[in-house]
Amino acid sequence: MEWGCIKCGKEIPQYAEFCPECEEKQFRKIGGFLYLPLLGLIITAISYLFAMTQAFKVLVESYWHIIPEAKIFFISSLFTYLAMFMFTIFTLSLFLRKKKSLPKVYMLFLILIIVTMSVNTYLLYRLIPGITIGYNELVPIFRNLITALIWVPYFRVSVRVKKTFVH
């Protein structure tokens, strides 16, 4: 039985799906599961924009009425969100330009999200009296931890990642 490339029909070994020419074209573009992290980066950028506007709104509307510790929390949150937004845009640009450094930067990005969310939650608890940490504060941290546990190994071992991000 003869095996053929699923794109052009050239004869190929049994274990392969594409001939070398079609494989090169196939892996040049973002495809497969890589659409999920790309979508995640876009959603993350939008959510950081929303978080920045919310923190800025609280600061502007009630700056003179909140305690100094709360001011510190909201100002530090605003700068954290701004820094993470800029890092998200940087990571997104590496992703879209298919840069070789993207896998390491993306793994760092996932870890930084967990760290910044954890620190922000801790500061919320320490700086604002009467605040208790509950479900709404912890679930996003655990959700991002699960995300990192999925995507970090994928970006480390995936053949598609290695062949897509080569520039």
Side-chain angles (χ1 to χ4, degrees):
M1 178 172 191
E2 187 175 300
W3 296 92
C5 173
I6 60 176
K7 282 276 194 191
C8 67
K10 288 184 186 175
E11 188 175 337
I12 57 171
Q14 180 178 355
Y15 61 86
E17 292 181 63
F18 302 102
C19 65
E21 295 84 22
C22 292
E23 184 173 333
E24 179 67 28
K25 290 177 192 172
Q26 182 71 16
F27 285 113
R28 262 194 231 146
K29 57 186 176 184
I30 294 170
F33 287 121
L34 288 177
Y35 283 116
L36 295 174
L38 178 61
L39 181 63
L41 282 169
I42 294 167
I43 291 170
T44 302
I46 293 168
S47 68
Y48 277 125
L49 274 176
F50 179 73
M52 280 189 297
T53 58
Q54 291 299 103
F56 187 71
K57 181 180 177 184
V58 168
L59 276 173
V60 169
E61 290 178 351
S62 55
Y63 184 80
W64 300 109
H65 305 290
I66 57 178
I67 61 174
E69 291 85 0
K71 290 177 188 176
I72 292 170
F73 171 75
F74 285 110
I75 290 171
S76 68
S77 292
L78 184 63
F79 282 110
T80 301
Y81 296 148
L82 178 63
M84 285 303 294
F85 172 74
M86 294 176 74
F87 193 67
T88 303
I89 296 300
F90 171 70
T91 307
L92 185 59
S93 74
L94 291 177
F95 202 106
L96 293 174
R97 293 182 293 148
K98 296 183 264 227
K99 294 294 184 177
K100 189 174 189 171
S101 61
L102 181 270
K104 289 180 183 174
V105 172
Y106 187 73
M107 289 184 277
L108 175 65
F109 168 75
L110 292 173
I111 293 166
L112 277 177
I113 287 178
I114 296 166
V115 170
T116 57
M117 289 179 83
S118 300
V119 168
N120 203 33
T121 302
Y122 177 75
L123 288 176
L124 175 68
Y125 172 72
R126 294 293 295 169
L127 293 176
I128 301 179
I131 295 289
T132 57
I133 303 301
Y135 179 83
N136 291 333
E137 292 80 22
L138 295 177
V139 165
I141 296 170
F142 287 115
R143 188 179 324 123
N144 282 297
L145 181 62
I146 291 169
T147 300
L149 289 173
I150 293 169
W151 291 114
V152 167
Y154 179 78
F155 271 77
R156 289 193 66 178
V157 299
S158 170
V159 172
R160 174 168 281 286
V161 169
K162 288 179 177 110
K163 289 185 177 183
T164 301
F165 302 104
V166 295
H167 300 322

